[in-house]
Amino acid sequence: SARFLSNVKRWRLFADMSVDIGITLEVTAILLPKPFFLPCICLGNMFKALCGVAAGASGGSINLYWAKGSDISDINAKFGAQNTVSGAIGLVFAGLFAKSVNEVAPQSLWLMYIFLTVLHLYANVKCMRMISFDYVNTIRLDMILRNYVRKGDDKSVQISTPPEIAKSE
């Protein structure tokens, strides 16, 4: 559990990649021979379970970051409402997709899936770069020291601030 706290951003991105891998395994399972269908579905669900653990463990720290100057219960309520709304919108699009899946070429479906998966990961990377935790973990300490050493003997060298580190972390 200490590793989740010290590398929140990394674990959050791990969770996002895990869910994408899990969904991809589930979708591709129908393309495999019958003996591999069940193992592929099970492996996909295992990746989605890993996502649940990593997202849940890192989500608390991320919510605390957004709650600065606010009430954590307010942030959690907004997070829950956002999940409900996005889930409802997702269900509508899933229904429309299910109705039209036979009318669209498989290549177009795969291109759309790949595009949406890449967009999902890109959006999460951008979100993690917006967060600048004010504590130092091993990754941030390494980045600060590298910046400090790289600037050499300059007496006016200043240590990087958390927002500066967050942009490159």
Side-chain angles (χ1 to χ4, degrees), residues 59-137:
S61 295
I62 292 170
N63 286 347
L64 281 174
Y65 170 80
W66 293 116
K68 287 183 181 175
S70 181
D71 185 13
I72 187 65
S73 60
D74 182 44
I75 298 299
N76 284 333
K78 288 177 182 174
F79 178 74
Q82 178 186 8
N83 275 347
T84 302
V85 170
S86 63
I89 292 170
L91 280 174
V92 169
F93 280 110
L96 293 172
F97 175 77
K99 281 180 70 173
S100 64
V101 74
N102 288 332
E103 300 169 8
V104 179
Q107 295 85 1
S108 298
L109 290 174
W110 280 107
L111 283 174
M112 189 169 38
Y113 175 75
I114 290 168
F115 171 74
L116 291 173
T117 301
V118 169
L119 180 65
H120 172 245
L121 291 174
Y122 174 76
N124 281 301
V125 167
K126 293 299 269 184
C127 180
M128 289 300 107
R129 287 195 173 153
M130 288 174 54
I131 297 173
S132 58
F133 292 113
D134 56 358
Y135 58 87
V136 177
N137 64 8

Side-chain angles (χ1 to χ4, degrees), residues 16-76:
D16 294 323
M17 286 189 289
S18 293
V19 74
D20 288 339
I21 291 169
I23 292 169
T24 302
L25 285 169
E26 289 177 344
V27 170
T28 57
I30 61 167
L31 303 173
L32 299 174
K34 283 188 178 185
F36 297 108
F37 178 80
L38 185 60
C40 191
I41 292 291
C42 291
L43 190 61
N45 276 304
M46 287 173 48
F47 272 99
K48 287 171 32 177
L50 286 172
C51 166
V53 171
S58 61
S61 295
I62 292 170
N63 286 347
L64 281 174
Y65 170 80
W66 293 116
K68 287 183 181 175
S70 181
D71 185 13
I72 187 65
S73 60
D74 182 44
I75 298 299
N76 284 333

